[in-house]
Amino acid sequence: MTVPFTGLKIESAELRIVNLPLVTPFKVSNQTLTDKTFPVLILRGEGVEGFSEGVMDPFPDYLEETIPGALGFLRDLILPQIVGKRFGNPAELAALLAPWRGHRMSKALVEMAFWDLWTKSLGLPLKAALGGVRDAVPVGVSLGITAIDTTVARVAEAVEAGYKRIKLKVAQGHDLALLEAVRRAYPDVKLTVDANTAYGLADLATLRAMDAFNLDYIEQPLAVDDIHDHALVQREIATALCLDESIRTPADCRKALAAGAARVINIKVGRVGGYAAARAIHDVSEAFGAPVWCGGMLESGIGRAHNIHLATLPNFTKPGDTSSASRYFHRDIINEPLEAADGLMPVPGNGPGVGVTLDRPFLETVTRMTEEFRA
């Protein structure tokens, strides 16, 4: 006799704020990070647990969402709604989250933890449930802003390690001379730049000058909310533009590609609200013939593992930012080392779901706050 599946009950939730020091400071156009502070959510139900990592920052420097705002949204509204409830699949949970405006990073934290919980309950690896097709994904490195000679030395290390793409963080005044130095030393390496919104239309001459350096793409040169001016720039330069912060929904992706504002899309599952939106953006991009890649937010092993599973989908044809965790952290909060070899990152496979396990003793030492939610 077949027993009907009645769904998975979320019996409790555990919300933590974790702080990990970085191996080296990471500087971009608008901030310098020396450590990484982030929320971790653990959902438990029927003998299994699923976990995820949030990508919101303590302050609104990448996007508007912040850790304090996320804590209020999760503590006062979302977690009390889901603990004690039964969900048949992630789409049922997503329907509960959908009415609330914004808060995509917080929604992603909840949705991703449930995907892990749900796939573990089914005995499936996360990539199988998402529709992934690879056992390893190509990865590149992202190099923060440093002195030019230091950056060239770091490019040499990345090339020696076999990474498939080098991304340089740039800003006004730290761009063309940097590219000249790197291209002089490495004329054939696959190279991209990421401006983190540092430029405007007044900088069109600088952006046009980047055409001379054979870049694979220029990532997010203009403002977060400016699809129109990105389209103007894309018409004026030969190098493909890639959008990151501007793409928060599948509709954003469709409008940007239809307007000619980009030819490549960066997908961060935490930025767009979870796997449902990430997969839809993947599919929209594929329909427009635009390749995608998986961006990173200096995640610990939890978020890094989730990103690797996502990047197994077929239109992730450009190397992502899920490089070796040891480049960022002296010690991770998971037991499994997530390390790339020759530019390929294996999909974590220690059990079903996201395929990694928590290093609980170490996690306790780097946890700054813990809250429990029970039915």
Side-chain angles (χ1 to χ4, degrees):
M1 177 180 175
T2 302
V3 178
F5 179 65
T6 59
L8 183 64
K9 183 178 180 180
I10 299 176
E11 296 166 355
S12 69
E14 178 182 309
L15 184 61
R16 292 174 176 260
I17 300 298
V18 175
N19 177 268
L20 283 176
L22 295 173
V23 171
T24 58
F26 191 82
K27 183 178 181 180
V28 299
S29 62
N30 61 352
Q31 63 172 318
T32 299
L33 295 174
T34 58
D35 57 3
K36 177 69 175 176
T37 300
F38 55 95
V40 167
L41 178 64
I42 303 173
L43 299 180
R44 298 186 177 93
E46 302 185 16
V48 292
E49 67 178 24
F51 36 82
S52 64
E53 173 180 341
V55 299
M56 64 288 289
D57 291 324
F59 302 103
D61 37 37
Y62 172 69
L63 289 174
E64 300 89 342
E65 289 186 68
T66 64
I67 291 174
L71 289 177
F73 181 66
L74 295 167
R75 177 193 297 128
D76 300 332
L77 182 61
I78 298 302
L79 294 180
Q81 283 192 337
I82 69 170
V83 172
K85 300 287 196 314
R86 189 175 293 275
F87 299 94
N89 54 57
E92 291 185 10
L93 176 67
L96 184 147
L97 300 174
W100 307 110
R101 299 182 186 275
H103 295 281
R104 291 183 181 88
M105 294 177 178
S106 300
K107 291 177 180 179
L109 181 68
V110 176
E111 194 236 42
M112 292 164 68
F114 185 76
W115 270 91
D116 187 32
L117 182 74
W118 182 64
T119 51
K120 284 173 178 171
S121 75
L122 299 175
L124 290 174
L126 179 58
K127 74 157 195 169
L130 292 173
V133 296
R134 303 182 183 93
D135 295 323
V137 299
V139 294
V141 295
S142 178
L143 301 179
I145 294 173
T146 61
I148 290 177
D149 57 347
T150 302
T151 300
V152 173
R154 291 181 176 176
V155 171
E157 294 171 356
V159 171
E160 179 66 24
Y163 282 106
K164 305 293 187 183
R165 176 269 281 150
I166 311 295
K167 180 169 81 173
L168 306 176
K169 295 288 187 176
V170 295
Q172 291 189 26
H174 184 80
D175 40 41
L176 299 182
L178 170 68
L179 288 171
E180 287 174 1
V182 172
R183 270 291 176 235
R184 190 180 312 118
Y186 295 96
D188 300 321
V189 72
K190 180 172 284 192
L191 192 64
T192 72
V193 296
D194 183 5
N196 291 110
T197 76
Y199 299 99
L201 283 183
D203 302 298
L204 181 58
T206 298
L207 296 172
R208 189 182 286 122
M210 291 183 184
D211 281 342
F213 298 102
N214 189 29
L215 302 176
D216 197 32
Y217 52 80
I218 300 169
E219 185 178 354
Q220 197 67 44
L222 310 181
V224 169
D225 57 354
D226 202 340
I227 297 295
H228 178 269
D229 284 356
H230 275 103
L232 293 179
V233 170
Q234 184 65 96
R235 287 198 291 271
E236 294 293 325
I237 67 174
T239 306
L241 293 186
C242 170
L243 291 182
D244 174 357
E245 291 96 322
S246 294
I247 307 300
R248 309 198 206 182
T249 67
D252 290 340
C253 181
R254 174 182 58 79
K255 292 172 184 176
L257 293 174
R263 298 175 192 157
V264 180
I265 298 296
N266 170 342
I267 300 179
K268 295 175 179 172
V269 61
R271 184 190 75 231
V272 303
Y275 285 118
R279 291 200 300 176
I281 291 170
H282 168 277
D283 294 348
V284 169
S285 300
E286 190 172 37
F288 276 88
V292 303
W293 58 278
C294 185
M297 293 287 287
L298 300 180
E299 289 96 336
S300 78
I302 296 174
R304 198 169 298 268
H306 274 277
N307 288 344
I308 295 166
H309 281 269
L310 175 67
T312 64
L313 270 66
N315 196 38
F316 281 88
T317 56
K318 290 188 177 292
D321 277 345
T322 50
S323 55
S324 297
S326 60
R327 297 188 67 252
Y328 302 102
F329 305 112
H330 296 285
R331 183 173 174 179
D332 209 340
I333 59 174
I334 62 171
N335 292 306
E336 297 75 14
L338 299 183
E339 299 294 309
D342 295 324
L344 292 174
M345 176 68 78
V347 177
N350 186 7
V354 78
V356 297
T357 58
L358 298 178
D359 182 348
R360 296 181 187 276
F362 180 64
L363 178 59
E364 290 297 331
T365 69
V366 293
T367 294
R368 302 293 177 259
M369 182 214 77
T370 305
E371 292 189 45
E372 292 275 352
F373 301 82
R374 297 185 180 276

